[in-house]
Amino acid sequence: MVVQGHRTMSEELKSCPFCGEAKRLFIGQPWEGGNYRVSCQVCWCAAGGHPTQAEAITAWNTRAGEKA
Ligand SMILES: [Zn+2]
């Protein structure tokens, strides 16, 4: 599924650590040539940026696992 250049990769992403959303997450580059970041389209939190999608996903999943 592709939405305006943002590849939805929710199957690889843990649910949002803030609002619990698991479906409406997307990963993309906030600007051309910028770092990748994962964002939640519900509460608009984001984890980034990182030079690769894989690193951005890892950062997001790590953050998601750090529930206080
Ligand atoms: Zn959220």
Side-chain angles (χ1 to χ4, degrees), residues 8-61:
T8 59
M9 303 179 74
S10 59
E11 69 279 2
E12 297 183 35
L13 295 168
K14 293 182 181 179
S15 58
C16 176
F18 301 104
C19 72
E21 177 61 40
K23 301 295 183 182
R24 282 179 285 176
L25 305 174
F26 66 83
I27 181 168
Q29 290 172 283
W31 55 83
E32 184 175 357
N35 291 328
Y36 289 94
R37 68 176 180 180
V38 179
S39 300
C40 171
Q41 292 183 296
V42 177
C43 68
W44 291 106
C45 64
H50 300 271
T52 68
Q53 287 191 359
E55 286 182 65
I57 291 169
T58 297
W60 174 270
N61 286 344

